[in-house]
Amino acid sequence: MADPSPVTFLAGAGLCVDAGLDDSVRLAGKLMQYLQAKAAEPKNEEARTLLNLHYFILGGIRFQWGRQGANPDHPVNIEQIATAALRLRFRHEDPLAPYVSAWSERIVDLEDQQDGALERFSDVIFARLKEWLATPPSQQIEYLNRMTDLHGKEACISIFSLNYDLLLENALVNAHRPFVNGFRDGRWNPEVFSGNSDIRIYKLHGSLDWVEDEMYGICSLTFDRHPKAEDFEVQKPPLLIFGTNSKLTGRDPFLTLVHAFAQQLRSAKVLVAVGYSFSDKYINEIIEQRMRDNLPLRLVLVSPDADKIKQSNPFLENSPRVTTLNHGALDALNKGAVRSEILRLLEETKQEAPF
């Protein structure tokens, strides 16, 4: 009997919209509303400073777009705001800092008004994300299990997620489907991926249940929970990467995870991109390279805008190896369109003459 064919999923934010979660643009709107409500409270000077900082960051993002010839009225998302805040917070560590004669007076003024304003602003974003990306009831996330229906005899399923939420893990637990995610006894240990026949989950940009502790290293608070988690979980922000231009990093676990993505696409027969808008440059470059290197690899785009996404990316536009399913994740998964397309493509690759 032939070994199961390797099938890889790439999960973007659109995967979880059908479960009721907000996308990154809507999360940015929620942040604005939260800060405005806090700033309206009597004597809440900190909130007013953070709101002014938020306005300053938004203005900077839009000004930069205008300088680059892009539409400054384009929606700003939560990752762009968080990235700007983090870069400003650590601006003195930037290699270009010695060449900057002076930072904006407004930054200095805001930091004078509130000591540690940029740090506090980042903390607010992390805290609110944990609330706004909370896992909804089990019936709302059951459709996510359809990604793993073929795991076993027909396919070996690996899911690379760009999302921070815990919807996928909870859906698989609810369905009693075993998976590995790089943690053993609550500590980061990528060896669990080796030789394991369970479904594999790789969270390329981090997770709401990951933290980094000085004593224990990189730990998970939920899947699976570190035995000493109660000693440090309250104090730690989640371990996440923000920003489409800064997600490629040399530190673990992110280096190991992105390497695994590149390696798996060397042998995968099918890559299914669900709810991914192709806005991460380094992810796109990996896919483009592997489409060139791994000629049997087929790519399926699952999104209400799948045709538009294909047409807007030169390396996808004219490729006969790229197919589109113009549906939301819930419909495409629950109605079997994704499953049927995977099976069709696996059969197609079997029938082709070897290259």
PDB file of all heavy atoms in Angstrom, residues 149-162:
ATOM      1  N   ASP A 149     -10.037  15.724   7.272  1.00  0.00           N
ATOM      2  CA  ASP A 149     -10.836  14.538   6.958  1.00  0.00           C
ATOM      3  C   ASP A 149     -10.044  13.475   6.212  1.00  0.00           C
ATOM      4  O   ASP A 149     -10.324  12.278   6.348  1.00  0.00           O
ATOM      5  CB  ASP A 149     -12.068  14.923   6.125  1.00  0.00           C
ATOM      6  CG  ASP A 149     -13.187  15.505   6.968  1.00  0.00           C
ATOM      7  OD1 ASP A 149     -13.110  15.395   8.211  1.00  0.00           O
ATOM      8  OD2 ASP A 149     -14.129  16.089   6.393  1.00  0.00           O
ATOM      9  N   LEU A 150      -9.085  13.878   5.402  1.00  0.00           N
ATOM     10  CA  LEU A 150      -8.335  12.921   4.584  1.00  0.00           C
ATOM     11  C   LEU A 150      -7.091  12.391   5.289  1.00  0.00           C
ATOM     12  O   LEU A 150      -6.370  11.568   4.725  1.00  0.00           O
ATOM     13  CB  LEU A 150      -7.924  13.571   3.258  1.00  0.00           C
ATOM     14  CG  LEU A 150      -9.068  13.929   2.298  1.00  0.00           C
ATOM     15  CD1 LEU A 150      -8.532  14.692   1.099  1.00  0.00           C
ATOM     16  CD2 LEU A 150      -9.799  12.674   1.838  1.00  0.00           C
ATOM     17  N   HIS A 151      -6.851  12.864   6.495  1.00  0.00           N
ATOM     18  CA  HIS A 151      -5.629  12.441   7.184  1.00  0.00           C
ATOM     19  C   HIS A 151      -5.707  10.949   7.517  1.00  0.00           C
ATOM     20  O   HIS A 151      -6.681  10.472   8.088  1.00  0.00           O
ATOM     21  CB  HIS A 151      -5.438  13.233   8.479  1.00  0.00           C
ATOM     22  CG  HIS A 151      -4.142  12.927   9.164  1.00  0.00           C
ATOM     23  ND1 HIS A 151      -2.948  13.429   8.727  1.00  0.00           N
ATOM     24  CD2 HIS A 151      -3.857  12.158  10.249  1.00  0.00           C
ATOM     25  CE1 HIS A 151      -1.980  13.001   9.517  1.00  0.00           C
ATOM     26  NE2 HIS A 151      -2.505  12.227  10.453  1.00  0.00           N
ATOM     27  N   GLY A 152      -4.664  10.224   7.137  1.00  0.00           N
ATOM     28  CA  GLY A 152      -4.638   8.795   7.395  1.00  0.00           C
ATOM     29  C   GLY A 152      -4.239   8.036   6.157  1.00  0.00           C
ATOM     30  O   GLY A 152      -3.099   8.105   5.697  1.00  0.00           O
ATOM     31  N   LYS A 153      -5.191   7.367   5.539  1.00  0.00           N
ATOM     32  CA  LYS A 153      -4.883   6.536   4.378  1.00  0.00           C
ATOM     33  C   LYS A 153      -4.577   7.358   3.129  1.00  0.00           C
ATOM     34  O   LYS A 153      -3.639   7.080   2.383  1.00  0.00           O
ATOM     35  CB  LYS A 153      -6.041   5.582   4.089  1.00  0.00           C
ATOM     36  CG  LYS A 153      -6.258   4.523   5.163  1.00  0.00           C
ATOM     37  CD  LYS A 153      -7.386   3.580   4.779  1.00  0.00           C
ATOM     38  CE  LYS A 153      -7.583   2.514   5.850  1.00  0.00           C
ATOM     39  NZ  LYS A 153      -8.688   1.578   5.501  1.00  0.00           N
ATOM     40  N   GLU A 154      -5.403   8.389   2.889  1.00  0.00           N
ATOM     41  CA  GLU A 154      -5.232   9.131   1.632  1.00  0.00           C
ATOM     42  C   GLU A 154      -4.149  10.199   1.703  1.00  0.00           C
ATOM     43  O   GLU A 154      -3.476  10.480   0.710  1.00  0.00           O
ATOM     44  CB  GLU A 154      -6.544   9.813   1.220  1.00  0.00           C
ATOM     45  CG  GLU A 154      -7.609   8.848   0.741  1.00  0.00           C
ATOM     46  CD  GLU A 154      -8.783   8.774   1.714  1.00  0.00           C
ATOM     47  OE1 GLU A 154      -8.572   9.065   2.900  1.00  0.00           O
ATOM     48  OE2 GLU A 154      -9.872   8.430   1.266  1.00  0.00           O
ATOM     49  N   ALA A 155      -3.999  10.840   2.859  1.00  0.00           N
ATOM     50  CA  ALA A 155      -3.095  11.979   2.946  1.00  0.00           C
ATOM     51  C   ALA A 155      -2.509  12.108   4.344  1.00  0.00           C
ATOM     52  O   ALA A 155      -3.070  11.607   5.321  1.00  0.00           O
ATOM     53  CB  ALA A 155      -3.834  13.264   2.580  1.00  0.00           C
ATOM     54  N   CYS A 156      -1.360  12.776   4.387  1.00  0.00           N
ATOM     55  CA  CYS A 156      -0.737  13.167   5.650  1.00  0.00           C
ATOM     56  C   CYS A 156      -0.873  14.681   5.745  1.00  0.00           C
ATOM     57  O   CYS A 156      -0.256  15.416   4.962  1.00  0.00           O
ATOM     58  CB  CYS A 156       0.724  12.733   5.658  1.00  0.00           C
ATOM     59  SG  CYS A 156       1.600  13.181   7.169  1.00  0.00           S
ATOM     60  N   ILE A 157      -1.697  15.153   6.666  1.00  0.00           N
ATOM     61  CA  ILE A 157      -2.079  16.563   6.710  1.00  0.00           C
ATOM     62  C   ILE A 157      -1.182  17.362   7.653  1.00  0.00           C
ATOM     63  O   ILE A 157      -1.001  17.009   8.818  1.00  0.00           O
ATOM     64  CB  ILE A 157      -3.549  16.721   7.157  1.00  0.00           C
ATOM     65  CG1 ILE A 157      -4.489  15.979   6.203  1.00  0.00           C
ATOM     66  CG2 ILE A 157      -3.922  18.203   7.257  1.00  0.00           C
ATOM     67  CD1 ILE A 157      -4.528  16.529   4.801  1.00  0.00           C
ATOM     68  N   SER A 158      -0.634  18.447   7.116  1.00  0.00           N
ATOM     69  CA  SER A 158       0.078  19.437   7.926  1.00  0.00           C
ATOM     70  C   SER A 158      -0.615  20.778   7.718  1.00  0.00           C
ATOM     71  O   SER A 158      -0.942  21.137   6.589  1.00  0.00           O
ATOM     72  CB  SER A 158       1.541  19.550   7.499  1.00  0.00           C
ATOM     73  OG  SER A 158       2.239  18.342   7.728  1.00  0.00           O
ATOM     74  N   ILE A 159      -0.832  21.501   8.800  1.00  0.00           N
ATOM     75  CA  ILE A 159      -1.504  22.797   8.729  1.00  0.00           C
ATOM     76  C   ILE A 159      -0.557  23.867   9.246  1.00  0.00           C
ATOM     77  O   ILE A 159      -0.147  23.839  10.408  1.00  0.00           O
ATOM     78  CB  ILE A 159      -2.807  22.809   9.553  1.00  0.00           C
ATOM     79  CG1 ILE A 159      -3.749  21.693   9.079  1.00  0.00           C
ATOM     80  CG2 ILE A 159      -3.499  24.169   9.444  1.00  0.00           C
ATOM     81  CD1 ILE A 159      -4.976  21.517   9.949  1.00  0.00           C
ATOM     82  N   PHE A 160      -0.214  24.797   8.365  1.00  0.00           N
ATOM     83  CA  PHE A 160       0.604  25.947   8.737  1.00  0.00           C
ATOM     84  C   PHE A 160      -0.333  27.137   8.878  1.00  0.00           C
ATOM     85  O   PHE A 160      -0.968  27.555   7.912  1.00  0.00           O
ATOM     86  CB  PHE A 160       1.672  26.212   7.683  1.00  0.00           C
ATOM     87  CG  PHE A 160       2.750  25.166   7.661  1.00  0.00           C
ATOM     88  CD1 PHE A 160       2.566  23.979   6.987  1.00  0.00           C
ATOM     89  CD2 PHE A 160       3.940  25.367   8.334  1.00  0.00           C
ATOM     90  CE1 PHE A 160       3.556  22.994   6.973  1.00  0.00           C
ATOM     91  CE2 PHE A 160       4.939  24.393   8.335  1.00  0.00           C
ATOM     92  CZ  PHE A 160       4.740  23.203   7.650  1.00  0.00           C
ATOM     93  N   SER A 161      -0.434  27.639  10.082  1.00  0.00           N
ATOM     94  CA  SER A 161      -1.387  28.713  10.366  1.00  0.00           C
ATOM     95  C   SER A 161      -0.672  30.036  10.582  1.00  0.00           C
ATOM     96  O   SER A 161       0.359  30.104  11.256  1.00  0.00           O
ATOM     97  CB  SER A 161      -2.215  28.370  11.609  1.00  0.00           C
ATOM     98  OG  SER A 161      -3.089  29.438  11.921  1.00  0.00           O
ATOM     99  N   LEU A 162      -1.229  31.102   9.991  1.00  0.00           N
ATOM    100  CA  LEU A 162      -0.735  32.458  10.198  1.00  0.00           C
ATOM    101  C   LEU A 162      -1.525  33.172  11.284  1.00  0.00           C
ATOM    102  O   LEU A 162      -1.296  34.351  11.543  1.00  0.00           O
ATOM    103  CB  LEU A 162      -0.827  33.251   8.886  1.00  0.00           C
ATOM    104  CG  LEU A 162      -0.130  32.614   7.685  1.00  0.00           C
ATOM    105  CD1 LEU A 162      -0.400  33.419   6.422  1.00  0.00           C
ATOM    106  CD2 LEU A 162       1.370  32.485   7.929  1.00  0.00           C
TER     107      LEU A 162
END
